[in-house]
Amino acid sequence: MYTTVMAWQRTLLHRDGTLERVLEPGRHRYDAKRCTLIVVDMRPRLLNVSGQELLTHDGLSLRVSYALNWQVTDPEEFTTGAQYPDSVLYAAVQDAARRSVASHSLDELVADRTLLVGDLAEIGMAVTGLGMRVDALNARDLMLPGELRRAALETVLAKERGRAEIERARAEAAALRSLANTARLLEEHPALLRLRTLQVATTPGTQVILDPRERI
């Protein structure tokens, strides 16, 4: 009987329960009565680690999800090293992330999300002998408890209110300086006030009431 191994596959050929050889890409003949084939996909894979409840160094809880890029490097070790190698890898990511988050405060983790990611070398050591390589680990989602989200929102709003108050105070100070400069200028040059009065009087619709005690 024949089997075809694709370019992205390796096939383990077991004869009478014993691994005889690893079939490379191509067409191969084998004894279907005595042989068993196990196909291993060698393409890069993505492992999604769903939201993990983690505690920070300052005792606060947060929820983080991860994405791990990995690939099979040795089909024999991957098949025989553990019953469920994916589960071993999943647990290794959980442990590395838990240790990484526990060593930093919430403020540090929010400011630098790379701190959420565990040590790749540590994950690689955990799956030694399982015929796989860990390429990259990324923190995808960071979810804070409701109370922390509200507190963070209030902090942002307080900062924005503070900026608005500062800008308002600056505008008021600028207006007061302008009035002070105008008053000083009119005090030094009284004729300017009379000229300004005449200028306003020429505006259409303006009503001017003259006080006989004043001279224009």
Side-chain angles (χ1 to χ4, degrees), residues 20-60:
E20 183 174 278
R21 60 193 173 102
V22 177
L23 303 181
E24 298 291 328
R27 186 172 174 82
H28 304 270
R29 184 175 181 177
Y30 70 101
D31 185 349
K33 294 181 179 179
R34 300 181 58 188
C35 297
T36 302
L37 303 180
I38 299 177
V39 180
V40 179
D41 195 318
M42 303 296 290
R43 290 175 291 187
R45 308 188 191 193
L46 178 66
L47 175 66
N48 289 309
V49 181
S50 57
Q52 303 295 304
E53 291 286 349
L54 306 172
L55 286 178
T56 65
H57 182 68
D58 43 0
L60 297 174

Side-chain angles (χ1 to χ4, degrees), residues 40-134:
V40 179
D41 195 318
M42 303 296 290
R43 290 175 291 187
R45 308 188 191 193
L46 178 66
L47 175 66
N48 289 309
V49 181
S50 57
Q52 303 295 304
E53 291 286 349
L54 306 172
L55 286 178
T56 65
H57 182 68
D58 43 0
L60 297 174
S61 174
L62 50 81
R63 194 175 183 87
V64 188
S65 61
Y66 295 91
L68 178 74
N69 297 97
W70 65 283
Q71 188 171 4
V72 175
T73 56
D74 188 320
E76 181 181 356
E77 287 187 348
F78 181 73
T79 304
T80 61
Q83 184 178 11
Y84 301 110
D86 294 17
S87 298
V88 177
L89 183 59
Y90 193 99
V93 174
Q94 287 180 311
D95 292 340
R98 189 174 294 112
R99 280 189 283 271
S100 181
V101 170
S103 61
H104 298 91
S105 67
L106 179 63
D107 289 341
E108 292 172 337
L109 295 169
V110 172
D112 184 1
R113 294 186 58 170
T114 60
L115 300 177
L116 294 166
V117 180
D119 186 0
L120 282 182
E122 179 183 336
I123 299 174
M125 288 293 294
V127 296
T128 299
L130 298 185
M132 58 177 65
R133 182 185 71 237
V134 177

